[in-house]
Amino acid sequence: MPGSENDNTLKILVATDNHLGYGEKDQIRGNDSLVTFEEILENAKKHEVDFILLGGDLFHENKPPRRILHGCIALLRTYCMGEKPVQFEYLSDQSLDFKHCQFPTLNYEDPNLNISIPVFSIHGNHDDPTGQGNLCSLDLLHSAGLVNYFGKTTNLEKIEISPLLLQKGSTKLALYGMGSIRDERLHRMFVHKNVTMLRPREEKEDWFNLFVIHQNRSKHSATSHIPEQFLDDFLDLVIWGHEHECRIEPEWNGTQNFYVSQPGSSVATSLCEGEAGKKHVGLLQIRGKDFKMTKIPA
Ligand SMILES: [Mn+2]
């Protein structure tokens, strides 16, 4: 890509449902999830992405074994820190966007940290916040300065999602995220119009609107999934986490006028039909209002 195009293209490594720690007691496959995660980080480095976007369930368990948490920390420190400068600007208010975190700041803007590849992540249903302090493993990684944990909702009556606003050259990205919420509850909130997505006030039409969600997409019962029609039609692309089957090629929803990409789990967590296919992560390139998703085998 020529220099000027590169300057205006946001490159994002997209992965979801890494399920670190899946089958960790298995003598043979016990390290698979960490090995796969390392390959993903290698790819991010190789393709010189601007950032990594994770769609939830980074960990398989709410309280991952120490070996797994440590393995993840070691990998993030190895691959995501370094001299390479971060080449996009952050335009929204980090103190509001990360107000749910003890350090309401972006890791790569912290003068005490040297981040080369920022990681942005929402939580999934396996690694959701619980217990005293309502914390999850991503809170630990955020406070350690290794990830930027967004999309945590603290009000379960009414959700207002304001986007993280990023800009690289002429490309402007509004990044919306919503960590996993029990499907029935979220379904009800959508029906009662208690979920609102806020939009940037200025030059509304110039933004590429990307939403990352971690819910049931396939219809298990009437209310235990989130129909695509519930989502706002101003969105350009939805990254759908939680569903483990790889359907990463963006699928056009003609009613809503947006694309949906479902990367699927990066590690096989069952041998059911939907999961038997090849696993992929995605290299998402956004330029203006256009995007391209390239599959990378996981
Ligand atoms: Mn999940």
Short mmCIF file of all heavy atoms in Angstrom, two decimals, residues 1-10 50 87 167-171 287:
data_model
loop_
_atom_site.label_atom_id
_atom_site.label_comp_id
_atom_site.label_asym_id
_atom_site.label_seq_id
_atom_site.Cartn_x
_atom_site.Cartn_y
_atom_site.Cartn_z
N MET A 1 0.86 -1.20 0.00
CA MET A 1 0.00 0.00 0.00
C MET A 1 0.90 1.26 0.00
O MET A 1 1.80 1.35 0.83
CB MET A 1 -0.87 -0.02 1.26
CG MET A 1 -2.22 0.64 1.07
SD MET A 1 -3.18 0.60 2.58
CE MET A 1 -3.94 -1.02 2.49
N PRO A 2 0.68 2.18 -0.91
CA PRO A 2 1.51 3.39 -0.90
C PRO A 2 1.37 4.18 0.40
O PRO A 2 0.34 4.06 1.08
CB PRO A 2 0.98 4.21 -2.08
CG PRO A 2 -0.16 3.47 -2.67
CD PRO A 2 -0.34 2.20 -1.94
N GLY A 3 2.39 4.97 0.69
CA GLY A 3 2.45 5.68 1.96
C GLY A 3 1.18 6.43 2.33
O GLY A 3 0.67 6.26 3.42
N SER A 4 0.67 7.21 1.38
CA SER A 4 -0.47 8.06 1.73
C SER A 4 -1.70 7.21 2.09
O SER A 4 -2.45 7.56 3.00
CB SER A 4 -0.80 9.00 0.57
OG SER A 4 -1.16 8.24 -0.56
N GLU A 5 -1.87 6.08 1.37
CA GLU A 5 -3.01 5.21 1.69
C GLU A 5 -2.84 4.62 3.08
O GLU A 5 -3.78 4.51 3.85
CB GLU A 5 -3.13 4.09 0.66
CG GLU A 5 -4.01 4.43 -0.51
CD GLU A 5 -4.18 3.26 -1.45
OE1 GLU A 5 -4.42 2.14 -0.97
OE2 GLU A 5 -4.08 3.49 -2.66
N ASN A 6 -1.61 4.21 3.35
CA ASN A 6 -1.29 3.65 4.65
C ASN A 6 -1.60 4.64 5.78
O ASN A 6 -2.09 4.26 6.84
CB ASN A 6 0.20 3.30 4.68
CG ASN A 6 0.42 1.90 5.20
OD1 ASN A 6 -0.45 1.34 5.86
ND2 ASN A 6 1.57 1.34 4.89
N ASP A 7 -1.29 5.91 5.51
CA ASP A 7 -1.51 6.94 6.52
C ASP A 7 -2.99 7.14 6.84
O ASP A 7 -3.33 7.71 7.87
CB ASP A 7 -0.94 8.28 6.04
CG ASP A 7 0.57 8.22 5.89
OD1 ASP A 7 1.18 7.27 6.43
OD2 ASP A 7 1.14 9.11 5.23
N ASN A 8 -3.84 6.72 5.90
CA ASN A 8 -5.28 6.94 6.09
C ASN A 8 -6.04 5.65 6.36
O ASN A 8 -7.26 5.64 6.37
CB ASN A 8 -5.86 7.61 4.84
CG ASN A 8 -5.29 9.00 4.63
OD1 ASN A 8 -5.17 9.76 5.57
ND2 ASN A 8 -4.93 9.30 3.40
N THR A 9 -5.31 4.55 6.54
CA THR A 9 -5.97 3.25 6.73
C THR A 9 -5.73 2.73 8.14
O THR A 9 -4.58 2.57 8.55
CB THR A 9 -5.45 2.23 5.70
OG1 THR A 9 -5.61 2.76 4.39
CG2 THR A 9 -6.21 0.92 5.80
N LEU A 10 -6.81 2.47 8.84
CA LEU A 10 -6.69 1.85 10.16
C LEU A 10 -6.62 0.34 9.96
O LEU A 10 -7.49 -0.25 9.33
CB LEU A 10 -7.91 2.19 11.01
CG LEU A 10 -7.83 3.41 11.93
CD1 LEU A 10 -9.21 3.72 12.48
CD2 LEU A 10 -6.85 3.20 13.08
N ASP A 50 -2.62 -1.26 13.73
CA ASP A 50 -2.69 -0.12 14.64
C ASP A 50 -3.13 -0.55 16.03
O ASP A 50 -2.67 -0.01 17.02
CB ASP A 50 -3.66 0.93 14.09
CG ASP A 50 -3.11 1.58 12.85
OD1 ASP A 50 -2.09 2.26 12.97
OD2 ASP A 50 -3.68 1.39 11.75
N GLN A 87 -0.06 5.15 15.84
CA GLN A 87 -0.24 6.17 14.81
C GLN A 87 -1.66 6.62 14.59
O GLN A 87 -2.03 7.03 13.49
CB GLN A 87 0.32 5.64 13.49
CG GLN A 87 1.76 5.18 13.66
CD GLN A 87 2.52 5.22 12.36
OE1 GLN A 87 2.39 6.17 11.60
NE2 GLN A 87 3.31 4.20 12.11
N GLN A 167 -8.99 8.42 15.18
CA GLN A 167 -8.74 8.97 13.85
C GLN A 167 -7.32 8.67 13.39
O GLN A 167 -6.36 8.81 14.15
CB GLN A 167 -8.97 10.49 13.86
CG GLN A 167 -8.76 11.10 12.49
CD GLN A 167 -9.36 12.50 12.35
OE1 GLN A 167 -9.82 13.08 13.34
NE2 GLN A 167 -9.36 13.03 11.15
N LYS A 168 -7.23 8.22 12.14
CA LYS A 168 -5.91 8.05 11.53
C LYS A 168 -5.98 8.71 10.15
O LYS A 168 -6.73 8.26 9.28
CB LYS A 168 -5.57 6.58 11.39
CG LYS A 168 -4.15 6.35 10.88
CD LYS A 168 -3.81 4.89 10.83
CE LYS A 168 -2.42 4.67 10.29
NZ LYS A 168 -2.18 3.25 10.00
N GLY A 169 -5.24 9.77 9.98
CA GLY A 169 -5.32 10.53 8.74
C GLY A 169 -6.75 10.99 8.52
O GLY A 169 -7.36 11.59 9.41
N SER A 170 -7.30 10.64 7.36
CA SER A 170 -8.66 11.08 7.06
C SER A 170 -9.72 10.07 7.53
O SER A 170 -10.91 10.31 7.38
CB SER A 170 -8.80 11.30 5.55
OG SER A 170 -8.42 10.11 4.87
N THR A 171 -9.30 8.94 8.09
CA THR A 171 -10.26 7.92 8.53
C THR A 171 -10.66 8.14 9.98
O THR A 171 -9.81 8.28 10.86
CB THR A 171 -9.66 6.50 8.35
OG1 THR A 171 -9.46 6.28 6.96
CG2 THR A 171 -10.58 5.44 8.91
N ARG A 287 -10.79 2.37 5.66
CA ARG A 287 -10.34 3.61 5.04
C ARG A 287 -11.58 4.42 4.70
O ARG A 287 -12.39 3.98 3.89
CB ARG A 287 -9.53 3.29 3.80
CG ARG A 287 -8.85 4.48 3.24
CD ARG A 287 -7.71 4.06 2.33
NE ARG A 287 -7.35 5.20 1.52
CZ ARG A 287 -7.44 5.22 0.20
NH1 ARG A 287 -7.85 4.17 -0.46
NH2 ARG A 287 -7.10 6.32 -0.45
#
